Amino acid sequence: MYGDPTADFESDSKPDGQDAMPHYSREWNFDPYHQAMAFARRRAPDHASADTEWRVWEVFQQAKRGEHHAHVGSIHAPDAEVALVLAKENFARRGACVNLWVTPADAIHATDYEDADVFIHTTDKLYREPAGFQGLRSSRIQGSSRTTEAKGTST
Amino acid sequence: MSSSENSAGGTTTPRLVAEEETSPGQLAAFEERIARGEKIEPGDWMPALYRKQLIRLIQQHANSELMGALPEGQWIPYAPGFRRKMALIAKVQDEVGHAQLLYRAAETLGKPRHEMMTELVNGESKYSNVFNYPCETWADIAMVGWLIDGAAIVNQTIMQTGSYGPYSRALQRITYEEAFHLKQGYDLVVTLHTGTPAQRAMCQEAFSRWWWPLMMFFGPPDRASVHTDILQRWALKPKTNDEQRQIFLRKFVPKIQELGLEIPDEDLRWDEDSGTWHFTQPDWDEFKRVIRGGGPLNAERLALRRLLYEQGSWLRTALEQAEQPRAAA
């Protein structure tokens, strides 16, 4: 278990009476961080956790105007306005971003992975693909080349 | 740990797992998916032990990101120059952002965030030992940025290949940002090491102090780690502590030697036969002592984390209540 955070630091750093790691005995009191420590030690015993469990928002980021928004992650927020602020801080710290969407996670409906077989193509669907069509091949032209045929129609 | 975990390395199925199956063959199907390299997603069936171990791993990881922001945040007012200060602020902000991403990933397994925050500030959950050591000089910030983040990248790149989707995706984003941390840390080290004699000495002194905590960073040797078997079987932790330590040494020792920093381990040498670095084991008793709260700064770090959590509560309350008048209007 961890030591009691409220315990005196000097005594806590020497468990079982051992003089452990002596080079850490440096005095720390020169900045607000360390001044806050004294306060923290006094306040800590009364600490009561009072966090809130806000709803989850899914975040979608657009890198460039005109492009798709892409899902980048999720955050907690009490409302959409705060969600947009937190989304910016969490996902748009660097890299391109021109627009963010947030939506309550529970507003998203998804298919079940269990049903992923509905997406499996049971028949040949090559007819839906550009690669499924060959266009004009020499073997399909009888007697004339493409060039002469084109010339013939233009006159 | 539980007996179910100890038996996981053998052929027997851990009891805890079998009990939870809601239909026969669920565990087998789950393990087949992992073997195929598929990611497990939040709604999928998973063994109770998988969920438990995953929460433990992600929560500790999230805690580490949040606690890691403290020693560096403390140096922001003293950064030498505006550019260094901006970079350090950005890095600290990233670390807190990483914590948020990871707590979100842990939440998908059913543990509420406020519960994890409460456990952290009450000292009931763990975080990386390295953050219980002090950053005494500016060179410590250089070492943390280069070597601690460097070690973290080794670890996170491996964890990213693990079997849980939300954790893996969070880590992809995190390792991308860590690359900047590593570069700014290395730039700091190079600047100090090629600077004045006083800067060089400060750099070496900080390096020597961080060497042993770094050697403990990846955790105890494999034979002593109770979690390893099950974590590997379910691709939660794709490489062992020792494997990760070796990857770190292979990557960083040449760079350290290239710089000319003196490694405080006379027995450190490349072993041709085994293709591994031979090194002196760090003081694992110290490791245990620090993890149990007896480290140099455990109490101070946790007290500050708790204070900041308390001090932030007015903002959480304000944000929550801001919506109410509008809703009533």
Side-chain angles (χ1 to χ4, degrees):
Chain A
M1 266 293 103
Y2 286 93
D4 177 3
T6 65
D8 175 53
F9 167 58
E10 287 305 318
S11 62
D12 193 78
S13 67
K14 293 161 190 163
D16 312 317
Q18 295 167 16
D19 191 8
M21 295 168 261
H23 56 280
Y24 302 116
S25 58
R26 180 172 174 149
E27 286 286 325
W28 287 104
N29 51 15
F30 60 85
D31 69 359
Y33 172 97
H34 292 95
Q35 286 164 17
M37 292 314 305
F39 177 67
R41 292 198 191 98
R42 286 198 304 275
R43 283 284 300 276
D46 305 315
H47 171 77
S49 160
D51 199 5
T52 48
E53 199 71 10
W54 293 332
R55 71 197 300 190
V56 175
W57 300 73
E58 298 297 337
V59 181
F60 299 81
Q61 180 174 345
Q62 190 185 35
K64 195 180 161 195
R65 208 163 168 160
E67 285 183 359
H68 287 289
H69 285 68
H71 182 243
V72 287
S74 53
I75 46 129
H76 285 267
D79 58 44
E81 193 184 350
V82 175
L84 283 169
V85 172
L86 295 178
K88 174 190 168 280
E89 293 305 321
N90 274 281
F91 298 104
R93 288 199 296 275
R94 57 172 67 76
C97 179
V98 293
N99 195 252
L100 287 170
W101 286 349
V102 290
T103 181
D106 54 20
I108 292 178
H109 298 267
T111 56
D112 198 326
Y113 281 109
E114 296 284 307
D115 301 329
D117 56 349
V118 301
F119 302 116
I120 293 170
H121 296 160
T122 48
T123 56
D124 176 11
K125 296 246 176 146
L126 206 57
Y127 62 85
R128 288 176 181 267
E129 311 279 347
F133 301 90
Q134 305 236 349
L136 194 56
R137 289 175 303 174
S138 58
S139 63
R140 294 169 82 179
I141 302 160
Q142 291 156 354
S144 67
S145 75
R146 189 179 179 176
T147 325
T148 52
E149 194 177 316
K151 270 180 187 165
T153 52
S154 67
T155 47
Chain B
M1 292 309 292
S2 66
S3 57
S4 54
E5 237 173 74
N6 292 337
S7 65
T11 50
T12 52
T13 302
R15 215 166 57 83
L16 185 59
V17 170
E19 272 178 1
E20 213 214 14
E21 273 188 312
T22 51
S23 64
Q26 247 170 350
L27 178 64
F30 170 85
E31 292 194 332
E32 272 166 32
R33 285 183 62 194
I34 290 176
R36 279 198 301 273
E38 257 178 56
K39 301 287 184 202
I40 307 299
E41 297 295 339
D44 297 346
W45 181 87
M46 62 184 80
L49 190 58
Y50 179 86
R51 188 184 300 274
K52 185 180 143 203
Q53 292 286 20
L54 203 47
I55 291 173
R56 181 182 69 84
L57 278 174
I58 304 175
Q59 189 179 353
Q60 278 182 25
H61 192 166
N63 289 346
S64 299
E65 298 281 357
L66 201 53
M67 297 303 285
L70 297 181
E72 292 184 299
Q74 148 197 345
W75 271 95
I76 290 172
Y78 308 101
F82 191 63
R83 192 164 173 270
R84 295 292 190 202
K85 185 175 288 195
M86 294 296 280
L88 189 57
I89 291 170
K91 181 179 188 302
V92 169
Q93 192 189 23
D94 280 351
E95 305 296 6
V96 178
H98 296 171
Q100 131 72 14
L101 289 173
L102 292 165
Y103 283 124
R104 273 294 305 138
E107 280 169 52
T108 62
L109 293 156
K111 187 158 187 172
R113 186 168 58 176
H114 68 84
E115 205 173 303
M116 293 186 274
M117 286 305 298
T118 307
E119 283 178 6
L120 174 63
V121 296
N122 288 344
E124 292 159 3
S125 58
K126 289 176 187 164
Y127 56 90
S128 181
N129 262 2
V130 286
F131 303 120
N132 289 319
Y133 290 82
C135 287
E136 299 194 12
T137 69
W138 177 249
D140 288 62
I141 297 303
M143 293 306 158
V144 169
W146 184 36
L147 296 173
I148 302 293
D149 282 62
I153 290 173
V154 167
N155 172 254
Q156 289 166 349
T157 309
I158 290 162
M159 298 301 267
Q160 193 177 309
T161 65
S163 59
Y164 190 57
Y167 189 30
S168 177
R169 287 190 290 275
L171 286 172
Q172 282 171 33
R173 197 174 186 90
I174 290 171
T175 48
Y176 167 75
E177 294 187 342
E178 295 275 359
F180 140 68
H181 303 173
L182 180 74
K183 286 285 277 237
Q184 70 94 35
Y186 186 62
D187 188 65
L188 282 172
V189 172
V190 171
T191 305
L192 290 173
H193 191 67
T194 56
T196 65
Q199 285 176 319
R200 278 185 79 104
M202 184 170 81
C203 193
Q204 177 65 54
E205 190 270 337
F207 176 77
S208 300
R209 262 188 299 114
W210 281 103
W211 177 258
W212 297 110
L214 260 173
M215 293 304 285
M216 298 178 206
F217 181 87
F218 296 99
D222 296 340
R223 63 182 181 281
S225 179
V226 287
H227 299 304
T228 297
D229 287 338
I230 197 87
L231 294 182
Q232 292 221 293
R233 175 167 142 190
W234 287 339
L236 285 172
K237 185 171 169 182
K239 287 199 190 312
T240 68
N241 295 354
D242 279 334
E243 285 168 341
Q244 294 191 29
R245 201 170 0 252
Q246 284 295 330
I247 292 170
F248 173 78
L249 289 169
R250 273 201 292 277
K251 199 171 159 190
F252 281 90
V253 171
K255 289 180 181 162
I256 293 163
Q257 289 172 338
E258 180 191 50
L259 275 173
L261 283 165
E262 195 185 318
I263 297 172
D265 178 1
E266 286 175 9
D267 291 337
L268 183 82
R269 62 181 159 78
W270 176 251
D271 189 86
E272 277 295 343
D273 296 335
S274 61
T276 55
W277 281 95
H278 174 85
F279 57 88
T280 306
Q281 289 291 336
D283 180 355
W284 292 112
D285 289 335
E286 177 182 317
F287 176 82
K288 282 181 209 153
R289 203 160 59 234
V290 177
I291 220 163
R292 286 173 190 151
L297 289 182
N298 293 55
E300 173 163 347
R301 296 276 194 246
L302 272 181
L304 182 65
R305 181 74 267 152
R306 182 186 285 222
L307 173 74
L308 296 173
Y309 187 52
E310 259 186 45
Q311 285 182 338
S313 72
W314 72 268
L315 180 62
R316 292 192 293 272
T317 309
L319 289 177
E320 191 175 47
Q321 288 171 355
E323 184 66 356
Q324 287 172 2
R326 258 175 286 164

